[in-house]
Amino acid sequence: MSGMADHNSSQEEYIPHYLQEEDPFASKLSREADIIAGIYLTIIGILSTLGNGYVIFMSSKRKKKLRPAEIMTVNLAVCDLGISVVGKPFSIISFFSHRWMFGWIGCRWYGWAGFFFGCGSLITMTAVSLDRYLKICHLSYGTWLKRHHAFICLAIIWAYATFWATVPFAGVGSYAPEPFGTSCTLDWWLAQASVAGQAFVLSILFFCLLFPTAVIVFSYVKIILKVKSSTKEVAHYDTRIQNSHILEMKLTKVAMLICAGFLIAWIPYAVVSVWSAFGRPDSVPIQFSVVPTLLAKSAAMYNPIIYQVIDCKFACCRPGGLKAKSSSKKSRTYTISAHRDSTAMNETQLE
């Protein structure tokens, strides 16, 4: 009983870092560290904007012919581009200015935008992993998945991200400055102050990180197990289905790389956030907390690079090699789905 009383007392007495400081937006890093972080984010922002912008531009040329999985990949590029265009300029300017320059309103907007697009990215990858799982483990699935199913899925994804990003404005949570001062995020420190704050943080962690990640891991583990026994099973089908299955396996590898890159970038930040919420108050050094934050902000840059590398690899492996790559340059799209120079039979099967 006394231990519980001490815990409740510590919650009541806890004051988050942004209320302890007269100026919560002043940088706690050295000016040199802020400049390095600003340069890093500028490079990440430019590469991400150009890469994801190119994916969207190439996809827009054939928007009426995009297959369901391609539509999901375009949505992922939109989320990544949104993070780069809407969010990164705020943090870049602040790092170079050695303080957050946009006040509380800008802080809440920046926190909302980052969480909204980040959640949208993760839920999109969750949907893609389920799509891969059903197509690999249940071959008949590809015969009924149509474009309108993908658009329904997009509506659910955006509604889901909007709901959880907006919940803090309903009074059950908040957005607040990071401990180093030049960026903003969800107010993880509410968990130190009240039971309601703990419920808010736990809900965010479960519905916006743990549950989607569990679905992704489940999907790809099932795919790996299925692949071990699929060779004999697929051999009983005709050549058309065999070729489609091979193509789906290639696309699944791309999806796995994308998910792995996202999780590698975000999990360190999630660990630090959870520790800030439920660990000993102020136990995470400020200089340490900035590294996972910068790593998470780089996630939007990886996907276009993966598309480019895989596209070049597939082109070089096709008959005709570089010649085939050159002849299809105008029509190919750097997406997770496939290339337009696949056979007509594959096109029909995947639709």
Side-chain angles (χ1 to χ4, degrees), residues 108 166-176 186-187 190 196-197 200-201 204:
R108 293 186 178 101
T166 309
V167 160
F169 294 129
V172 297
S174 183
Y175 293 99
L186 277 169
D187 192 346
L190 286 174
F200 163 72
V201 170
I204 292 292

Side-chain angles (χ1 to χ4, degrees), residues 31 37 50 56 58 67 95 124 127 129 135 138 160-161 202 214 216 289-290:
R31 186 171 293 275
L50 293 177
I56 296 171
M58 293 298 293
R67 293 189 288 270
F95 273 115
T124 300
S129 70
K135 282 193 173 181
H138 305 277
Y160 194 92
L202 287 173
I216 291 172
S289 68
V290 70

Side-chain angles (χ1 to χ4, degrees), residues 42 65 129 168 182 227-228 246 313 316 326:
T42 300
K65 297 181 179 180
S129 70
T182 47
V227 167
K228 293 182 178 180
I246 293 172
K313 180 179 178 181
C316 292
S326 176

Side-chain angles (χ1 to χ4, degrees), residues 37-321:
I39 294 173
Y40 168 82
L41 288 180
T42 300
I43 296 172
I44 294 296
I46 292 173
L47 292 177
S48 176
T49 300
L50 293 177
N52 288 292
Y54 185 66
V55 170
I56 296 171
F57 172 74
M58 293 298 293
S59 299
S60 67
K61 290 186 174 182
R62 44 186 298 270
K63 57 185 177 182
K64 293 184 179 180
K65 297 181 179 180
L66 292 176
R67 293 189 288 270
E70 289 178 311
I71 293 171
M72 301 303 296
T73 304
V74 173
N75 190 63
L76 184 59
V78 170
C79 292
D80 290 341
L81 184 64
I83 292 175
S84 302
V85 173
V86 176
K88 282 189 172 60
F90 286 82
S91 54
I92 290 172
I93 292 172
S94 297
F95 273 115
F96 281 124
S97 301
H98 198 49
R99 63 172 290 108
W100 178 259
M101 297 295 294
F102 306 98
W104 277 103
I105 294 178
C107 180
R108 293 186 178 101
W109 159 251
Y110 176 85
W112 181 91
F115 185 47
F116 172 72
F117 288 115
C119 182
S121 293
L122 182 57
I123 302 304
T124 300
M125 285 185 287
T126 304
V128 170
S129 70
L130 283 174
D131 173 76
R132 296 294 92 204
Y133 161 69
L134 292 172
K135 282 193 173 181
I136 297 300
C137 299
H138 305 277
L139 296 179
S140 62
Y141 172 69
T143 62
W144 64 264
L145 181 65
K146 304 298 181 182
R147 282 168 58 93
H148 69 272
H149 295 126
F151 287 116
I152 292 173
C153 190
L154 290 186
I156 295 173
I157 290 170
W158 287 112
Y160 194 92
T162 300
F163 173 80
W164 286 108
T166 309
V167 160
F169 294 129
V172 297
S174 183
Y175 293 99
E178 299 268 16
F180 50 87
T182 47
S183 182
C184 294
T185 185
L186 277 169
D187 192 346
W188 302 103
W189 303 272
L190 286 174
Q192 298 280 357
S194 67
V195 174
Q198 291 179 355
F200 163 72
V201 170
L202 287 173
S203 297
I204 292 292
L205 285 173
F206 179 79
F207 289 104
C208 300
L209 178 63
L210 297 180
F211 177 69
T213 301
V215 173
I216 291 172
V217 172
F218 166 82
S219 298
Y220 290 125
V221 167
K222 294 292 288 185
I223 288 171
I224 291 172
L225 294 176
K226 181 67 175 180
V227 167
K228 293 182 178 180
S229 60
S230 65
T231 303
K232 293 182 179 180
E233 180 180 337
V234 175
H236 292 88
Y237 292 94
D238 59 26
T239 304
R240 179 184 64 181
I241 295 180
Q242 290 181 30
N243 292 339
S244 296
H245 188 68
I246 293 172
L247 179 60
E248 293 299 338
M249 288 307 305
K250 291 180 179 179
L251 303 178
T252 300
K253 292 177 182 178
V254 180
M256 293 176 70
L257 284 175
I258 291 172
C259 292
F262 184 91
L263 294 176
I264 289 172
W266 278 98
I267 284 179
Y269 178 78
V271 170
V272 171
S273 298
V274 171
W275 185 259
S276 298
F278 298 102
R280 188 166 56 85
D282 306 321
S283 60
V284 179
I286 291 177
Q287 291 76 10
F288 178 78
S289 68
V290 70
V291 176
T293 301
L294 295 178
L295 178 62
K297 293 180 186 296
S298 69
M301 179 189 68
Y302 302 148
N303 296 342
I305 296 176
I306 294 174
Y307 304 150
Q308 176 70 25
V309 170
I310 297 299
D311 183 81
C312 291
K313 180 179 178 181
F314 285 0
C316 292
C317 292
R318 290 193 299 266

Side-chain angles (χ1 to χ4, degrees), residues 1-13:
M1 292 294 292
S2 60
M4 184 179 297
D6 291 340
H7 178 70
N8 292 335
S9 175
S10 64
Q11 283 188 337
E12 293 174 358
E13 296 173 358

